[in-house]
Amino acid sequence: MKDMHGIIFAYLTHPKLKELAEHRTAASLPFGGRYRCIDFMLSNMVNAGINDVGVVMRDSYQSLLDHLGSGKDWDLARKRGGLRLLPPFGYAGPRRSVEFRGRMEALYGVASYISRIRQDYVVLADGENVANLSLEDVLESHIQSGAEITCVCTPAREGAVSDEAFYRLDDTGRIVDITVGLKDGYESMNVFLLSKPLLEHLLNYCAARSLYHFNRDVLQAMKEKLRLSAYIYNGYCARLISVTNYFQHSMDLLKPEVRRDLFPRGRSIRTKVRDEAPTYYSPDSRARNSVVADGCYIEGVVENSILFRGVRIGKGAVVQNCILMQDAAVKDGARISHVIADKQVTVSENHILVGHSTYPIAISKGAEV
Amino acid sequence: MKKEIVAMLLAGGQGSRLYVLTTNVAKPAVPFGGKYRIIDFPLSNCVNSDIDTVGVLTQYQPLELNEYIGSGQPWDLDRLHGGVHILPPYMHGKGGQWYKGTANAIYQNIRFIDNYGPEYVLILSGDHIYKMDYADMLRRHKKSGSDCTIAVYEVSLQEASRFGILNTNPDDTVYEFEEKPAQPKSTLASMGIYIFNWGKLRKYLTEDEADPKSSNDFGKNIIPAMLKAGEKLSVCRFNGYWKDVGTIESLWDANMDMLSASNQMDLHDPAWRIYARNPVAPPHYMGAGAVISHSLVTEGCEVEGEVLNSVLFNDVTVAEGASVKYSILMPGAVVESGAVIEYAILAENARVGAGARVGADPKDAPDPAEWGIAVVASDVVIEAGRVIGPNTMVAD
């Protein structure tokens, strides 16, 4: 199963992520105590035996570069292939600093990279999907169905994103209609598998006609001409597009079935190693129903929360229903609930901060409260 | 390209007093402190002291250690020139042989050291838990103009007869070395950490090898020979945390030390990180009914029961209603519901069935003189309901 090449789109940002996306794209959003969103898709690729992965980025990619480095933490620091970071060339024209208008435009910017792909199949995937998806199963289904493009989708979730694409299928699993915003059928995960020659052909076709949108100009426009098949993924899948939905999906990790889905044995999610010490719980600490990464130092009370690496909770501090990112500190006696504290946030002694599950408070990176 | 200093880490010891914990692994590969192996401490000290060339001498059960060290990448020791090298004994023209002693192990690797043309060689062992700046020791070695500097640790007079003791002049030069003296004259114990001028050490190693009566040991042969010949030897005092983890008791003790805030061994200190090969596991989780207090817990653990005064390595499971106190649970250990673990060490992937008991509080021991830490060896399954008393070792 080494016949696939991975391309991850890591340039998308979502305005509703507000403070959380100030310094980063959705793909490099911290999630689940020690990960960035992109770790999931990157690990899915590595777990499927994919050795060559290109990551397409556009703006605010410093955090992503810092996280991915040479790719060694995913075993992708290779001489032949491995991880390739694909930032934009310095555009001199008027289109500078404008987001890609669509995935085809993003791919067109790396056309020469695509022409050198040595595998027969290419997986195109959004970097902000949090799911443990077996891409080798997707390839098998692609080959068996005889599809030209296989689109991975999931049964529409509660509160599904309204601007997402939905697929209507016939009895054979062929996609017969693609709609946006209607919540009709299966929700797209924006993971596509197709052959390299077809991808190159589609790129040339679109470039020649100033078409740049994968959903509209390829899937919708060619659904009769091309055989589009669906691969239905039934496991846990999160797409993080707003502060509230980030909060809710993070809290999902407190459910054992969600952790089993995302972190099954043998299909590990890899991330950048930080060499933290084990987490220390002091004699006076009280912790329950929480997910805690390494390197934390806990002297207070923690309930129903997600703690990233290196978080410090002082004596008498109470943390309930919170998400505290890397190196955040809650000082002695502070009480916080329904707060998302970004990296290196400090909540000072005896301060009180209370949000609500439908409107959690997000605090920007490095802020002192 | 020359290296100023090369470190040689003696990692071939069996650690026979760790019994079932070292049946399949060398002592330096024994897990320690929730996330580490013993060898991570000297290796991290090297890197943090800017020493980038380390030879690791292996002999006993080297497979796991070899795999653990690999390319040296977790310690930043995957270098184009230098880096970490595993050095097992090998065959050569005249036959080859096992490492006969600590000095012979270095003797057999003279060519390895010569390759880097160093001025100094640092000799280390893989038996201790400590953080030490070897660069500082090297500075003192150079300043004193000694041929050999030995790191020493102040022990009590009663303990002194268990150690190699250095008797010194007021200027910290050594006039005598006594191995485990019955009547110690000093309380400066050798830590088994030496910096030698390579040219000198090379000469003494060669002479020592030519002596068939020698036991080819640094403490017994090389140091006394150098003293006898009038070479200048000095001590370098160390007063941080330093602990031998060569016995079940001391291994358990040292793990418990990591829980105390005043142990001078701050594992969380970003300025002197201890590097290790990190397992790939999600953050740990504790359930709504879990109790965790005064403990170290690592990634991949799932705790539903009670964990007090304990060290949990990665991927440990403590089920609902189970209780773990004053214990060390190595990677992948499982404690099923209602089981009670007290004053015990569960080795890797050991499993304790529902309602079983392992170890006992010294207060509850029928005979205090017979009390000790209970040990369950790796991959051993303790059936549900079984009782393993204190001071017991279960190997199958």
Side-chain angles (χ1 to χ4, degrees), chain A residues 42-339:
Chain A
L42 209 47
S43 300
N44 288 335
M45 289 181 174
V46 171
N47 288 338
I50 296 180
N51 281 325
D52 297 5
V53 179
V55 178
V56 183
M57 39 188 98
R58 173 98 199 208
D59 287 316
S60 315
Y61 55 75
Q62 193 185 16
S63 125
L64 204 55
L65 291 184
D66 178 52
H67 180 68
L68 297 175
S70 66
K72 68 172 192 275
D73 290 320
W74 297 265
D75 209 17
L76 286 173
R78 301 266 74 89
K79 282 195 172 176
R80 295 185 68 230
L83 181 70
R84 266 295 281 280
L85 304 172
L86 304 167
F89 296 106
Y91 290 112
R95 278 173 46 241
R96 250 179 97 193
S97 234
V98 178
E99 270 208 24
F100 289 124
R101 287 173 294 175
R103 291 181 187 83
M104 291 313 271
E105 187 172 79
L107 288 174
Y108 200 70
V110 297
S112 64
Y113 172 80
I114 288 172
S115 69
R116 287 194 303 272
I117 287 177
R118 54 199 172 112
Q119 288 83 2
D120 295 338
Y121 296 98
V122 181
V123 181
L124 306 173
D126 277 7
E128 71 242 55
N129 273 303
V130 173
N132 198 316
L133 169 69
S134 162
L135 291 170
E136 59 272 39
D137 286 358
V138 177
L139 177 61
E140 203 184 302
S141 140
H142 180 77
I143 293 168
Q144 270 182 5
S145 69
E148 275 146 323
I149 303 178
T150 295
C151 309
V152 181
C153 54
T154 181
R157 292 159 290 171
E158 214 179 307
V161 189
S162 56
D163 61 355
E164 199 52 86
F166 286 80
Y167 304 142
R168 214 145 45 73
L169 315 180
D170 69 9
D171 301 342
T172 65
R174 181 169 177 164
I175 297 172
V176 291
D177 200 11
I178 299 128
T179 53
V180 174
L182 282 182
K183 298 192 186 182
D184 179 16
Y186 290 89
E187 187 183 344
S188 167
M189 282 172 66
N190 293 323
V191 177
F192 310 102
L193 199 155
L194 69 173
S195 73
K196 184 203 164 191
L198 178 61
L199 176 63
E200 280 197 293
H201 167 77
L202 291 173
L203 267 178
N204 293 334
Y205 178 90
C206 289
R209 291 164 182 78
S210 293
L211 303 172
Y212 45 78
H213 207 283
F214 192 78
N215 269 332
R216 188 186 63 209
D217 301 328
V218 175
L219 297 184
Q220 283 180 333
M222 303 184 191
K223 65 177 193 282
E224 268 100 38
K225 229 164 41 185
L226 294 175
R227 190 186 158 92
L228 309 178
S229 281
Y231 174 92
I232 301 167
Y233 169 74
N234 286 308
Y236 182 81
C237 173
R239 203 164 158 250
L240 310 169
I241 51 143
S242 71
V243 171
T244 311
N245 120 315
Y246 176 82
F247 183 81
Q248 284 156 357
H249 280 307
S250 294
M251 290 308 168
D252 283 346
L253 290 171
L254 299 176
K255 300 174 194 155
E257 65 275 15
V258 170
R259 288 199 307 280
R260 269 199 299 275
D261 255 12
L262 281 182
F263 309 114
R265 300 236 163 182
R267 292 189 61 85
S268 314
I269 303 300
R270 296 172 171 274
T271 187
K272 184 181 175 184
V273 167
R274 262 214 0 164
D275 291 291
E276 291 285 359
T279 283
Y280 173 70
Y281 292 91
S282 85
D284 303 324
S285 71
R286 222 176 63 226
R288 49 180 219 93
N289 194 37
S290 295
V291 163
V292 182
D294 274 359
C296 298
Y297 202 90
I298 300 172
E299 297 181 280
V301 175
V302 180
E303 287 174 1
N304 314 321
S305 294
I306 313 286
L307 307 190
F308 283 68
R309 296 183 279 197
V311 165
R312 288 186 170 243
I313 304 206
K315 294 189 183 82
V318 179
V319 173
Q320 289 164 316
N321 310 299
C322 288
I323 297 158
L324 307 182
M325 293 187 196
Q326 201 167 293
D327 299 326
V330 181
K331 302 279 188 186
D332 296 359
R335 302 176 71 91
I336 59 173
S337 115
H338 295 99
V339 167

Side-chain angles (χ1 to χ4, degrees), chain A residues 32 34-35 72 254 259 268-270 273 275-283 287-292 294-296, chain B residues 33 35-36 73 259 267-268 273 275-276 278 280-288 292-299 302:
Chain A
R34 68 196 289 267
Y35 305 98
K72 68 172 192 275
L254 299 176
R259 288 199 307 280
S268 314
I269 303 300
R270 296 172 171 274
V273 167
D275 291 291
E276 291 285 359
T279 283
Y280 173 70
Y281 292 91
S282 85
R288 49 180 219 93
N289 194 37
S290 295
V291 163
V292 182
D294 274 359
C296 298
Chain B
K35 188 150 184 180
Y36 312 98
Q73 185 257 321
L259 298 178
L267 294 173
H268 286 79
R273 263 188 219 284
Y275 299 97
N278 278 246
V280 181
H284 66 265
Y285 170 79
M286 87 288 300
I292 304 182
S293 174
H294 204 217
S295 293
L296 288 173
V297 183
T298 317
E299 283 163 348
E302 294 263 336

